[in-house]
Amino acid sequence: MSETKLNGQVTIVTGAGGGLGRSFALALAAAGARVVVADCKLDGAAGTVEQIIAQGGEAIEMELDVAEEASVERMAGSVAQRWGRIDVLVNNAGIYGGITRKPFFEITSSEWDELMAVNLKGPWLCARAVFPFMRERGGSIINITSATFYSGSPLWAHYVASKGGVIGLTRALAREAGDYGIRVNAIAPGFTLTEASLQLIEEAAQYGVNRGAIKRAQQADDLIGALLFFAAPDSDFVTGQTLVVDGGRQFN
Ligand SMILES: NC(=O)c1ccc[n+]([C@@H]2O[C@H](COP(=O)([O-])OP(=O)(O)OC[C@H]3O[C@@H](n4cnc5c(N)ncnc54)[C@H](O)[C@@H]3O)[C@@H](O)[C@H]2O)c1
């Protein structure tokens, strides 16, 4: 633990039981934050916490279903009760890896609703739940959207629409939360190698590489600079923005 940029800041990362969320949680802890590792899979969350503690950081796991209002409210209340503040929320949890890609006319109504509940309603519920604990001191909300919104990536219309919704939510919340010193920004990763993305697309390791200005596969670590920028006071005057981090595949 050498960096102290986020010294003692209480940071919630949803969906941090694996994949990008785990990388985010590890990086925030390494920057000095106290991290709440929240996931619907408690064993994954516990694994992340174990790694953070092994690095000398501070973290706790919490079971959370971002689509369930009561679960989200409970999580925010427990964090505030334990640490008395919430400084940063990373809305990362999403239905992503398990998606069966198919034409829009084959997506069922229940698949659409389930995905929207997690990917779009979830970030709103989480932002709403942390607001009472951020409004006095200010804070930062970071929404993880996707570069698929800019490419209009085919065969998962519900996913792309949900991520577009997250960009709209980011802008609307930023307008309203500015008066409370809360900034709201989004990161739009390109196709990034995680366990989930490797299952999603054949030949994932080379997917899209030639379309980038920087021609190599994207790793979770490529997102950390943007994450820490939005989490830390460096971005104090930046809000409502979406930063595409994809090696220059999409220009926004
Ligand atoms: N990997 C990529 O290429 C990529 C690209 C762009 C955006 N993203 C986005 O980044 C985020 C993380 O992606 P990933 O590759 O790590 O995928 P992932 O499937 O490994 O991670 C998603 C995490 O969210 C958790 N989760 C799912 N539903 C939940 C719920 N209802 N409540 C709480 N937790 C829940 C899962 O248990 C998992 O730990 C997602 O929002 C995804 O859409 C990923």
Side-chain angles (χ1 to χ4, degrees):
M1 298 289 118
S2 51
E3 288 212 38
T4 55
K5 219 170 203 179
L6 298 172
N7 210 6
Q9 298 236 333
V10 175
T11 299
I12 299 168
V13 185
T14 69
L20 297 184
R22 175 171 286 177
S23 300
F24 296 159
L26 284 161
L28 290 160
R34 292 178 278 178
V35 181
V36 179
V37 177
D39 204 293
C40 59
K41 293 183 183 148
L42 204 50
D43 52 342
T48 304
V49 169
E50 211 171 289
Q51 286 188 30
I52 290 173
I53 289 169
Q55 283 183 9
E58 194 175 350
I60 52 166
E61 70 260 28
M62 275 194 193
E63 193 164 17
L64 169 71
D65 182 347
V66 296
E68 289 297 327
E69 185 173 15
S71 172
V72 173
E73 293 292 332
R74 198 164 46 242
M75 182 273 302
S78 311
V79 175
Q81 198 174 23
R82 183 184 174 107
W83 279 325
R85 55 194 274 187
I86 299 175
D87 302 292
V88 178
L89 165 69
V90 183
N91 273 319
N92 165 79
I95 295 184
Y96 171 67
I99 298 175
T100 304
R101 298 186 67 189
K102 53 170 105 162
F104 73 90
F105 46 84
E106 288 179 12
I107 293 171
T108 66
S109 185
S110 61
E111 284 170 335
W112 179 278
D113 289 346
E114 190 197 353
L115 187 136
M116 286 294 170
V118 175
N119 287 17
L120 183 52
K121 187 179 178 190
W124 164 66
L125 281 177
C126 291
R128 196 184 66 167
V130 301
F131 176 69
F133 309 108
M134 271 190 187
R135 60 182 296 167
E136 301 296 331
R137 317 165 47 100
S140 173
I141 297 174
I142 304 166
N143 296 324
I144 306 304
T145 177
S146 166
T148 57
F149 171 71
Y150 298 100
S151 64
S153 177
L155 301 177
W156 46 356
H158 49 350
Y159 178 79
V160 176
S162 75
K163 293 301 187 180
V166 168
I167 293 172
L169 180 70
T170 301
R171 294 176 181 185
L173 294 185
R175 285 259 181 242
E176 294 188 38
D179 287 341
Y180 303 92
I182 301 170
R183 53 202 199 285
V184 188
N185 292 288
I187 299 172
F191 186 78
T192 311
L193 297 183
T194 61
E195 213 172 291
S197 65
L198 286 166
Q199 288 164 1
L200 204 62
I201 291 173
E202 277 179 46
E203 297 173 4
Q206 282 309 307
Y207 179 78
V209 165
N210 288 328
R211 282 187 279 120
I214 300 167
K215 292 182 180 50
R216 64 165 173 79
Q218 182 164 349
Q219 309 289 340
D221 278 355
D222 292 317
L223 297 161
I224 300 305
L227 178 84
L228 295 179
F229 171 67
F230 285 135
D234 302 289
S235 60
D236 258 359
F237 204 53
V238 180
T239 194
Q241 305 304 311
T242 300
L243 182 57
V244 178
V245 181
D246 72 343
R249 291 179 200 179
Q250 307 295 329
F251 292 141
N252 167 27

